[in-house]
Amino acid sequence: MKKFWGICNNDKYNVGCNGASVYIYDKSGKELKVFKDASYTYRAKFKPNTNILVAKSTAGFLLIYDLDELKLLKKIKTAQIGSQDDGFTFSKDGKYLYNIERPIYSTKTRLTIYNMEDCSVIKTLFENDKKIVLKDLEFDNNNVCYLLGFMRNDEGVFDYGFIAKLNNNNLDGIRNLEKDKYDYLRAYKAWEDSGFSNKNLEESSKLKNLETIERTTIIETYNSL
């Protein structure tokens, strides 16, 4: 395989994203398809226990593929601007996709939840909150969503990092993060989202060399606070 910004795989396919294209390989390394449906596509993830792939473009698109049929199922416009480089993930059962989006300008975020049965929007959260900036998210084994982000102060700049649970459409159990720990966790999650690609690691200014990287999760960090 080529050297990609983002990689992912399941028991049937290997996927590589280089920005301009999404490459699909079988497990022997044979190239099956190259998709070119949106620019700046650096990350992709499989819907749990399926061959449905979701790729995220920083230009403001979600690309839904059926790899068994090697075709694009749907191209969803998520925002009118670029810089869509925040987290996205599936609920544990794969029924829903949670995507952090920047709808109007790069400093404002929202959490949009999609129904994976028809790719419709179920709800959008936090879009009108001027202080909350969302960056990444994880689900635990009980299907509880944990959100990583930061709060702005009255001047509109970084005040403090936080991790919180999503409960009844609100942030619950907020625990504060010091900026250094927030920056590191954000960089680590970006590397994880790339499939731990070497190319992503080479470009990260927040991560150390492989021997000294502290492997962690949002949930582990939350529980340690």
Side-chain angles (χ1 to χ4, degrees):
M1 289 176 61
K2 305 173 187 294
K3 193 172 185 180
F4 292 110
W5 281 102
I7 55 178
C8 68
N9 59 78
N10 65 5
D11 59 1
K12 190 172 181 180
Y13 299 103
N14 294 327
V15 176
C17 301
N18 70 355
S21 307
V22 178
Y23 289 77
I24 311 300
Y25 300 89
D26 66 16
K27 300 308 285 188
S28 71
K30 178 184 177 182
E31 185 179 294
L32 302 175
K33 184 79 173 182
V34 181
F35 294 105
K36 297 178 179 288
D37 297 298
S39 57
Y40 309 111
T41 302
Y42 298 105
R43 294 174 292 160
K45 296 181 180 181
F46 282 98
K47 178 182 174 182
N49 305 310
T50 76
N51 294 320
I52 300 299
L53 182 79
V54 176
K56 182 169 182 175
S57 162
T58 64
F61 294 98
L62 289 174
L63 307 167
I64 318 296
Y65 296 103
D66 184 334
L67 297 194
D68 288 334
E69 297 188 18
L70 292 176
K71 71 176 185 180
L72 176 69
L73 296 177
K74 195 155 189 177
K75 182 177 182 178
I76 303 171
K77 182 67 174 174
T78 61
Q80 301 303 315
I81 62 166
S83 302
Q84 303 293 319
D85 57 356
D86 302 303
F88 70 113
T89 194
F90 291 96
S91 58
K92 282 292 185 180
D93 55 16
K95 292 181 178 179
Y96 308 107
L97 177 70
Y98 286 59
N99 186 41
I100 298 173
E101 302 167 355
R102 297 173 179 267
I104 301 174
Y105 51 92
S106 61
T107 57
K108 189 175 183 180
T109 61
R110 68 187 180 199
L111 177 64
T112 302
I113 304 170
Y114 296 87
N115 185 334
M116 284 304 297
E117 185 173 338
D118 58 6
C119 300
S120 61
V121 174
I122 297 176
K123 65 181 70 171
T124 299
L125 304 174
F126 310 114
E127 184 169 7
N128 297 317
D129 194 304
K130 296 180 179 179
K131 289 195 172 184
I132 297 172
V133 180
L134 302 175
K135 297 300 294 182
D136 222 317
L137 66 172
E138 288 177 356
F139 279 88
D140 67 13
N141 292 329
N142 295 316
N143 220 26
V144 175
C145 181
Y146 290 71
L147 289 158
L148 169 69
F150 69 87
M151 294 290 186
R152 293 193 186 94
N153 60 23
D154 292 338
E155 285 72 45
V157 298
F158 185 101
D159 190 3
Y160 60 90
F162 72 83
I163 302 173
K165 298 178 183 180
L166 183 63
N167 185 18
N168 293 324
N169 300 330
N170 292 298
L171 299 181
D172 185 35
I174 295 177
R175 298 183 182 179
N176 293 7
L177 273 173
E178 295 178 357
K179 191 170 189 307
D180 286 349
K181 182 168 283 191
Y182 164 83
D183 287 341
Y184 183 88
L185 184 55
R186 176 66 186 120
Y188 184 86
K189 288 297 296 181
W191 185 41
E192 181 184 81
D193 258 8
S194 77
F196 298 109
S197 75
N198 290 333
K199 192 167 185 178
N200 183 284
L201 179 62
E202 290 166 3
E203 295 299 316
S204 176
S205 61
K206 301 295 183 183
L207 297 176
K208 304 174 184 177
N209 61 58
L210 282 172
E211 289 73 21
T212 58
I213 286 175
E214 178 187 352
R215 296 176 182 267
T216 186
T217 68
I218 293 172
I219 295 168
E220 287 173 352
T221 304
Y222 180 87
N223 290 333
S224 72
L225 294 173

